[in-house]
Amino acid sequence: QQQVKQSPQSLIVQKGGISIINCAYENTAFDYFPWYQQFPGKGPALLIAIRPDVSEKKEGRFTISFNKSAKQFSLHIMDSQPGDSATYFCAALFQGGSEKLVFGKGTKLTVNP
Amino acid sequence: EAQVTQNPRYLITVTGKKLTVTCSQNMNHEYMSWYRQDPGLGLRQIYYSMNVEVTDKGDVPEGYKVSRKEKRNFPLILESPSPNQTSLYFCASSVWIGVSGRGLQFFGPGTRLTVL
């Protein structure tokens, strides 16, 4: 019930292409969905986040699409660049102020030049 | 500079030798948390703290202790480390965002622990 399932595990995209990472959850007690980007040797860094009452959020080349009825959300990276090569984690935050954050297992993105 | 710091960054120890990993944040955040990251398992929460003297278990608390005596510090204690605690550890702290009252977590640089 606390899981967030993330796919694919790894993704290779050509420069300029679109990278798509998908996540799914079961627990309706989640009410905030951030995405984190992690470079080798660094801690995860918040990339973009969405609330379930919004179907899409865009920040630059990064877009989250959210389907509340399907309990699915995805990260789209437009015009992918080699500098986007990193591991991406989706996450879900429990409602009620506990701030308990549950992570997906991560997607390693490689953008080839 | 706003940041979360962890020390040490790298540690090799032996089974049973007590150790402490420190975590400090300079952002006056109320919420702090510890995670471990293992290949194929992602990040799993060990313990978290909503404020001074308020701590609670995460998903994988066994073998760990924490304390929160000051707002800025949240040390992770392994009283009798075992090889299965070899992992990459991250501390995080959280800032509230606007009227929604939800926190967004900022992570430290990580501590790579090896228990022999």
Side-chain angles (χ1 to χ4, degrees):
Chain A
Q1 285 297 313
Q2 293 190 359
Q3 278 187 322
V4 176
K5 296 182 178 179
Q6 183 172 349
S7 63
Q9 282 188 317
S10 62
L11 181 61
I12 299 174
V13 175
Q14 292 299 119
K15 179 181 175 182
I18 302 173
S19 303
I20 302 174
I21 303 170
N22 300 300
C23 286
Y25 65 98
E26 289 294 328
N27 197 329
T28 56
F30 294 134
D31 71 343
Y32 202 74
F33 300 88
W35 284 86
Y36 287 83
Q37 179 188 56
Q38 185 180 28
F39 293 105
K42 302 290 186 182
L46 180 67
L47 187 63
I48 187 173
I50 196 168
R51 298 184 63 86
D53 54 351
V54 176
S55 61
E56 185 175 283
K57 184 174 182 179
K58 184 176 181 180
E59 290 185 2
R61 295 184 295 109
F62 300 90
T63 300
I64 301 177
S65 298
F66 193 90
N67 186 330
K68 187 175 181 178
S69 61
K71 298 180 187 173
Q72 295 175 346
F73 57 110
S74 60
L75 176 69
H76 296 235
I77 306 174
M78 312 300 288
D79 188 25
S80 298
Q81 300 296 312
D84 296 331
S85 298
T87 300
Y88 292 81
F89 294 94
C90 62
L93 195 58
F94 277 89
Q95 64 189 11
S98 74
E99 296 307 306
K100 181 174 172 59
L101 197 60
V102 178
F103 284 86
K105 293 185 177 181
T107 296
K108 184 176 181 180
L109 172 65
T110 302
V111 181
N112 288 328
Chain B
E1 180 188 356
Q3 60 183 350
V4 177
T5 57
Q6 296 178 224
N7 282 291
R9 296 289 312 281
Y10 303 91
L11 179 60
I12 300 174
T13 189
V14 295
T15 299
K17 186 176 180 182
K18 182 178 178 179
L19 67 92
T20 299
V21 183
T22 65
C23 173
S24 182
Q25 50 94 4
N26 61 1
M27 296 168 277
N28 201 36
H29 289 171
E30 293 178 336
Y31 180 90
M32 298 184 75
S33 181
W34 276 103
Y35 297 85
R36 60 177 289 174
Q37 184 175 25
D38 301 290
L41 297 178
L43 290 124
R44 293 178 293 168
Q45 190 177 51
I46 302 171
Y47 269 95
Y48 64 97
S49 171
M50 298 293 288
N51 213 325
V52 175
E53 302 292 0
V54 181
T55 63
D56 206 349
K57 296 177 180 179
D59 295 316
V60 288
E62 294 78 20
Y64 304 95
K65 286 178 60 177
V66 293
S67 68
R68 187 90 181 273
K69 293 182 170 56
E70 305 168 279
K71 198 171 187 178
R72 64 181 291 128
N73 297 322
F74 190 43
L76 179 70
I77 303 158
L78 285 73
E79 295 211 327
S80 183
S82 62
N84 65 12
Q85 293 178 298
T86 293
S87 187
L88 181 59
Y89 291 87
F90 289 101
C91 179
S93 71
S94 180
V95 62
W96 299 102
I97 48 168
V99 296
S100 66
R102 303 315 312 282
L104 295 174
Q105 296 185 27
F106 294 86
F107 284 78
T111 295
R112 185 166 293 281
L113 172 65
T114 302
V115 183
L116 302 174

